[in-house]
Amino acid sequence: MNERVVVIGAGMAGLWTALALAPTGREVVLLERDPPPPQGDFGGDLGGDGLDAAFHDWSRRGVGQLRHSHAFLARLRLLIRDQHPELLAELMAAGCRELRFEDGLTDLHRARFTPQPADADLSILTSRRTTLELVMRRYVTRLAGVSLRTGVFVRDLTIAAGQPPRVTGVTLEDGEAIPADLVVDASGHTSQTIDQLAAAGVAIAETSEPSGVIYFTRHYRMRPGAEEPPRGQASATGDLGYLKFGVFPGDNGCFSVTLCVPEVEEEMRKAVVAPETFDAVCAQLPGVAAWIEPARAEPVSRVFGMGKLESRWRDLAPGGQPAVLGFFPVGDSLVRSNPLYGRGCSFAGVSAYLLRGALEASADPAERVRLYQRATESELRPYYDAMRRADQSAIRRARRALLPPRKPSLRARILQSFVEDAVTVAVRSDPDLLRASLRGFHMLEDPQAWLRRPDALIRILGYWARGKRANAAAYRPKLEPERREMLTAVGVSPDADEARVRAAAA
Ligand SMILES: Cc1cc2nc3c(=O)[nH]c(=O)nc-3n(C[C@H](O)[C@H](O)[C@H](O)COP(=O)(O)OP(=O)(O)OC[C@H]3O[C@@H](n4cnc5c(N)ncnc54)[C@H](O)[C@@H]3O)c2cc1C
C-alpha cells in the first residue's frame, strides 16, 4: 500500500517496524535523535574492531540500556529466521551467539534426551546489544522504501482536531514539519508523545507499577586462547531472592555479567556499582566466578547501573473506542516490562508485526486502532500479566529476606513445595517438560498453557509423589552464600537495611 509511515526512533522497535512494514511496499522514514555509530551507517568496518568501536564509542543517549546485557528470545529469533533469513546470517557472521536447547540440559535430561526437530525453535540469540543493533540497522537501511535520518529530534506530533483527533505528522526540533499517513512511536520508555497527546485532549489509558529491581552490568572479554568454562554443577544464572544473576555470552569473545538487586537492598545497590565490589560479588557465585577468573577473562567496561524499571501498559482504545487515529506506539512506548524476563525486544518485534497485520487487514483508521489494540491484548498481555505477578512475588520475597524468619502458613508451604519439589524438579528432570515450559518462556504459547495440560500435570505430580530423596539429583545444588554471608564477604553491612525494613514493619 502506498502509505508514508514516519517512525520516531530507530532503536529496537523502530528497526522492527521497518522490518515488518518495508516488505508491504510502504515508505518507512526512521527519525533518530542519536548520531550514527563511529564507523557510520552505510560503510566502515563491521569486523571485530568496528563492533568494539560501536560498543565503546557509539553515543546513544536515547537508549539508557544500550550497554546492558541483551538476549533475544526464541520468538524473536524465529521472526528473524522466518521473515528475514539473510539478517540472521549477517548477525551470525558478526559473531552473535545462539544458545541452543541442548546447551541447557542437565545430566538427568541428557540420560533421556532424544533430539526433536522442534528443538531448533528454542534457541536464544545473544551478543552485545550494540552488535545486534548495528547489524540490524545496516540490514534495515538496505531494504527498499526505508530511509534513516540520524541526529534529528522529534519535538512534537502534528495533531488534526476531530472526533477522535488524528496524527498527521511530526515536527523536528529545528521546526521542520514532516507529514505522514501514519506515525509510529518507537521512541522507547522515555517517549514524550503520550504527554503531547494528553495536552491536546487525547487520553490514552495507562497502568504502571515498579518492577522492584535495579540492574547492574559489567562486560568482560576472554583472554586470547582462553575457553568458556564448561557447563557444570555451578549455574551461571540464578535467583537467590536477595540477588539475581546471569552470565550472557556475547559476540567475538565478549560476555557480560548482570546482577539484579532488589530496590529494598539499599546498601548493596550503592556498593555494587564499584567494579571491585561487583567482581567480589561475582567471586562469591561459583558459576559466575569461573567466567571472570583473571586467567580466563579481563573486564572491558565499568559497571553500568539502571533503575526506575517499571512495568507499563498503554491502551489506545479504552472501552473499544480509539482515542486517536493515525498513531501507533510500538515497543517500550506501548508496553514496558522488567528486563529480567528478556522480553522487551520480543515485544518490540511482535508489536511491529501486529501493527502490520492491523494495517493490512483494514484501511479504516478507527478499525486499524481497534485491531491493533485487540491483537496486543491477546498476544502480549498474558506475558505482561505473568511478569507483573512474578515481580510482585519477588518484591515480597526480597523484603522477607530482611525480616526475622517466621513460619509460613500451611498454604504457603504447600505452594512453595509444589513449585520447588514438583514443578522445578520435574522440569530439571524431564526433557519433554523442559521443552513445554520453555515454549511459554520464549513466548511461543501462553506462559501458563503447559501447566494446564493434563499430561504435563500428571508427570509433575508424579515427581512430587516420589519425594525429595528419590528426586535428590534433580535439585539445583546450592553453592551460593546466604544474604548475610554474601554482604559480609564483600564488605557491605547487612544490618542497616534490615533495621530499616523491620522498623517499617513494626
Ligand atoms: C537493563 C535492561 C536490560 C534489558 N535486557 C533485555 C534483554 O535481554 N532482552 C530483551 O528482549 N529486552 C531487554 N531489555 C528491554 C529492551 O531494551 C527494550 O524493550 C527495547 O530496547 C525497546 O525498544 P524500543 O525501540 O521501544 O526502545 P529503545 O530501544 O530504547 O529505542 C528508542 C529509540 O528512540 C530514540 N528516540 C527517543 N526519543 C526520540 C525523539 N524524540 N526523536 C527521535 N528519536 C528518539 C532513541 O534515541 C532510541 O534510539 C532490557 C532493558 C533494560 C532496561
Side-chain angles (χ1 to χ4, degrees), residues 12-13 32-33 60 62 65 69-71 129 154 215 332 342 344-345:
M12 279 296 154
E32 169 56 49
R33 56 168 275 177
R60 295 291 269 122
Q65 73 274 27
S69 304
H70 270 73
R129 169 153 167 175
V154 174
Y215 239 65
D332 277 7
C345 296

Side-chain angles (χ1 to χ4, degrees), residues 37 39-41 43-52 54 90 93-95 128 130-131 133-139 142 251-252:
Q39 63 274 60
D41 268 318
D45 178 19
L46 255 201
D49 290 348
L51 296 172
D52 283 350
E90 289 177 23
R128 289 174 291 187
T130 43
T131 301
E133 197 165 314
L134 193 50
V135 175
M136 285 177 66
R137 185 156 150 152
R138 291 203 165 190
Y139 175 87
R142 293 200 308 269
D251 58 288
N252 299 294

